Amino acid sequence: MLPTPNIPQQHNSQSPGSVKTIRSESSRPPSITLQEQADSSSNNSAGPSQCPHVEQILGRDLGAVGIIKAIVSWKYGRIYQRISSSKRRKLQAPQCGICSLSLHRPFVCLQCSFSGCWRDGHVLQHLTEENHMFCMDSSSGSVFCFVCDDFVYHSSLENAYTKAMLTIEEKNTRYQVGKRLREHYMPWIPNAEAITLLENTEPVPCYGRRGLLNLGQTCYLNVVLQALIHNPLLRNYFLSDAHNHRLCKFKDCVCCEMDKLFTEVYSSNTAPYGPTSLLASTWKASSELAGYAQQDAHECFISVLNQIHTNTRGSTNVSCNCIIHSTFSGQLQSDVKCGRCGNITTTIDPLSDISIELKGKGIEPGQKTLAACLRRYTHPEKLALKEYSCSKCGTDSHEATKRLSIRKLPPVLCFQLKRFEHNSTDKSAARKIDIPIRFPSVLNMLEYTTAAASRDDNGESETSGDIGPPAMYDYDLFAVINHDGQINNGHYTNFARYCDEWYRFDDDKPSYVVKRETEAVRAREREIEMEKEKEAARMREVEDALLATV
């Protein structure tokens, strides 16, 4: 796919099965995936501004960096102890300094050792009483400034958090085979000689925007790979040498092919790359995708995720901590309420993506938006008679209501727009739903969570966990997969964000067509060169003849 800069602002989807991707800021969970038709225009976003109050504690209180290191050590220590330990012991969680509530997501003061809960405002109460200004969310590393009354960014705090995280990972992360630890990260700081040499050099173009060749109706795979390439969590995982294809001993390992793909994309070579070995490994692992027939991008997306999960270090059947589950895994809660006795039956299921209906009640013609589809998805619906049997009153002859909500949001949230519609009389006949769906570049998911659905009349959550500020539920769009055509034929393209600019990836020509056209151009150039040489030889003969007559 050859990238051309474009940015979708108002998106009109025309895809049969969609994967859309969104990434959040540092104070929020990162990312979504969805597949849609998008209009495009250029856009550049400014970088985050630094909080002016951070300099005060950095200048007078050097313990803030030490507290950040302690927070990171506690957080990642729990993760690696749970992964590496043969018996997962129950680890003691910190308690709120005021209400003594055990906290799975404590907010820690950066000027003392106090930890408190956000829901009841105890950490803010501490900041007020002690005249302290900053606290940090241990889960995301986001820093809250009491003076600014908002989550803020500062490069010194961000660097301290990142450096502490790298130190913990280097001590605990090993290669998939062998017992060798990861190499220690050493930042490159140019000296005076290097600076002098760099002054007269031309800047190297940004890497990470490399197109993929169509290997014969493989656009469905290429658009999925571009979405994964521009996923910041997967990018950091593979570029940090967490899976090295030279040390892996698995046969037909898709993780090894992904490692090679990231190496090729982030190399200095800008020519389109053909993922032939990755395609072969995908075909061997998923026979339903084998062959040169057209396939659905969403099915390919799920298949590639499953293959990476299977070949990743730390993959388990229960409480998996692999990179795929750490990136895409969430929880969906289903609550069925009995209409007679009011008993609620709760079921919790794993969540990797959300399939959105585009037709039905609750979606008006003028409200074809992703938010409207999500409200309909999480709105209570009545179940048919005898469709639910209450375990408390023991009857199934009355009405019951069912409500879906997202219990746990994943770092990367993926949406699929269900654009297949089957005829009620002929189940084999299906058509594509071409309803345009508008979606924003930033989406807040708080409204669709279980915590928001369980609020009482006073607006307080009935759940035991902290809801936190609404900004922590924002997701930023970073990839969109589109489809043009009908169910049995069509073409996939991809819009992806890279360095705050959007690019369109389109492999509308198969690799053999590109090669044939390239060879034709080269042949024509050779013919032109030969004609020039013949003309030059003829002119020399004419000149020699003129000189002979003289």
Side-chain angles (χ1 to χ4, degrees), residues 392-408:
K392 185 175 181 180
C393 60
T395 178
D396 56 359
S397 60
H398 55 276
E399 292 184 351
T401 57
K402 177 182 178 181
R403 182 171 187 175
L404 297 176
S405 60
I406 303 177
R407 180 182 180 90
K408 177 186 176 183

Side-chain angles (χ1 to χ4, degrees), residues 81-125:
Q81 185 172 356
R82 185 171 69 249
I83 295 175
S84 59
S85 180
S86 57
K87 294 184 178 180
R88 297 184 177 178
R89 296 174 295 174
K90 186 176 181 180
L91 301 177
Q92 184 178 2
Q95 295 181 343
C96 177
I98 296 179
C99 65
S100 300
L101 178 69
S102 296
L103 304 174
H104 70 282
R105 188 175 187 172
F107 279 75
V108 183
C109 178
L110 292 183
Q111 293 170 264
C112 66
S113 58
F114 177 87
S115 62
C117 55
W118 180 273
R119 182 187 62 178
D120 297 327
H122 292 157
V123 65
L124 300 181
Q125 178 182 342

Side-chain angles (χ1 to χ4, degrees), residues 181-482:
L181 295 174
R182 286 174 54 181
E183 295 183 5
H184 180 64
Y185 171 74
M186 296 293 294
W188 179 71
I189 301 176
N191 52 24
E193 181 181 358
I195 294 175
T196 304
L197 294 174
L198 291 173
E199 287 179 351
N200 299 323
T201 58
E202 295 183 0
V204 178
C206 296
Y207 302 143
R209 300 173 299 172
R210 190 173 181 183
L212 302 178
L213 291 174
N214 192 318
L215 304 176
Q217 300 194 51
T218 58
C219 59
Y220 67 92
L221 174 64
N222 287 346
V223 292
V224 170
L225 294 181
Q226 290 291 0
L228 299 180
I229 288 170
H230 292 85
N231 186 316
L233 302 184
L234 295 180
R235 176 197 64 201
N236 296 344
Y237 177 82
F238 284 103
L239 292 183
S240 64
D241 205 24
H243 188 102
N244 193 316
H245 68 275
R246 294 182 178 86
L247 301 177
C248 181
K249 296 182 179 179
F250 286 124
K251 185 178 180 181
D252 299 326
C253 178
V254 177
C255 278
C256 292
E257 298 302 330
M258 290 298 297
D259 182 49
K260 297 176 185 177
L261 177 64
F262 274 92
T263 303
E264 289 289 343
V265 169
Y266 285 89
S267 67
S268 58
N269 190 351
T270 58
Y273 173 69
T276 53
S277 57
L278 194 152
L279 178 65
S281 299
T282 303
W283 284 358
K284 292 179 182 179
S286 301
S287 58
E288 64 276 5
L289 297 177
Y292 291 99
Q294 295 185 1
Q295 304 291 344
D296 183 69
H298 181 254
E299 294 180 2
C300 177
F301 173 73
I302 298 299
S303 176
V304 172
L305 293 190
N306 290 334
Q307 295 169 34
I308 297 176
H309 154 74
T310 303
N311 299 132
T312 302
R313 180 178 179 269
S315 174
T316 59
N317 295 327
V318 181
S319 300
C320 183
N321 299 296
C322 73
I323 181 59
I324 296 301
H325 281 81
S326 301
T327 304
F328 298 97
S329 179
Q331 290 181 344
L332 183 67
Q333 179 168 319
S334 173
D335 296 320
V336 180
K337 184 176 181 180
C338 177
R340 173 173 296 180
C341 65
N343 178 52
I344 299 178
T345 303
T346 300
T347 305
I348 300 175
D349 297 313
L351 171 71
S352 59
D353 63 346
I354 299 177
S355 297
I356 301 294
E357 296 282 353
L358 300 183
K359 281 194 173 183
K361 297 180 180 180
I363 304 179
E364 300 299 331
Q367 298 178 349
K368 295 296 191 299
T369 63
L370 179 61
C373 295
L374 286 173
R375 283 193 292 270
R376 180 181 181 274
Y377 181 79
T378 57
H379 190 271
E381 61 175 341
K382 291 185 178 180
L383 299 179
L385 296 177
K386 298 184 179 181
E387 190 174 351
Y388 167 73
S389 179
C390 181
S391 59
K392 185 175 181 180
C393 60
T395 178
D396 56 359
S397 60
H398 55 276
E399 292 184 351
T401 57
K402 177 182 178 181
R403 182 171 187 175
L404 297 176
S405 60
I406 303 177
R407 180 182 180 90
K408 177 186 176 183
L409 283 166
V412 177
L413 184 57
C414 307
F415 293 108
Q416 179 215 4
L417 298 185
K418 300 175 69 174
R419 294 195 171 275
F420 293 106
E421 184 180 42
H422 295 274
N423 194 315
S424 58
T425 56
D426 186 6
K427 298 296 183 180
S428 61
R431 69 180 186 89
K432 179 182 174 181
I433 303 174
D434 288 327
I435 299 176
I437 302 295
R438 297 164 60 91
F439 52 88
S441 59
V442 178
L443 177 66
N444 189 283
M445 291 295 296
L446 177 59
E447 179 183 352
Y448 320 108
T449 60
T450 304
S454 60
R455 287 176 177 173
D456 55 21
D457 297 335
N458 298 325
E460 298 292 336
S461 176
E462 299 175 2
T463 59
S464 58
D466 294 339
I467 294 181
M472 301 188 71
Y473 296 85
D474 285 349
Y475 283 78
D476 294 339
L477 182 71
F478 73 81
V480 182
I481 295 178
N482 321 300

Side-chain angles (χ1 to χ4, degrees), residues 110-169:
L110 292 183
Q111 293 170 264
C112 66
S113 58
F114 177 87
S115 62
C117 55
W118 180 273
R119 182 187 62 178
D120 297 327
H122 292 157
V123 65
L124 300 181
Q125 178 182 342
H126 166 78
L127 297 179
T128 304
E129 294 176 351
E130 300 296 331
N131 196 24
H132 291 170
M133 288 189 294
F134 297 97
C135 64
M136 173 177 281
D137 177 14
S138 62
S139 178
S140 63
S142 305
V143 177
F144 181 84
C145 176
F146 185 73
V147 180
C148 298
D149 193 24
D150 197 1
F151 284 89
V152 298
Y153 170 85
H154 196 277
S155 58
S156 298
L157 299 180
E158 183 73 17
N159 293 337
Y161 185 88
T162 304
K163 186 176 181 180
M165 181 180 64
L166 283 173
T167 302
I168 297 297
E169 288 185 347

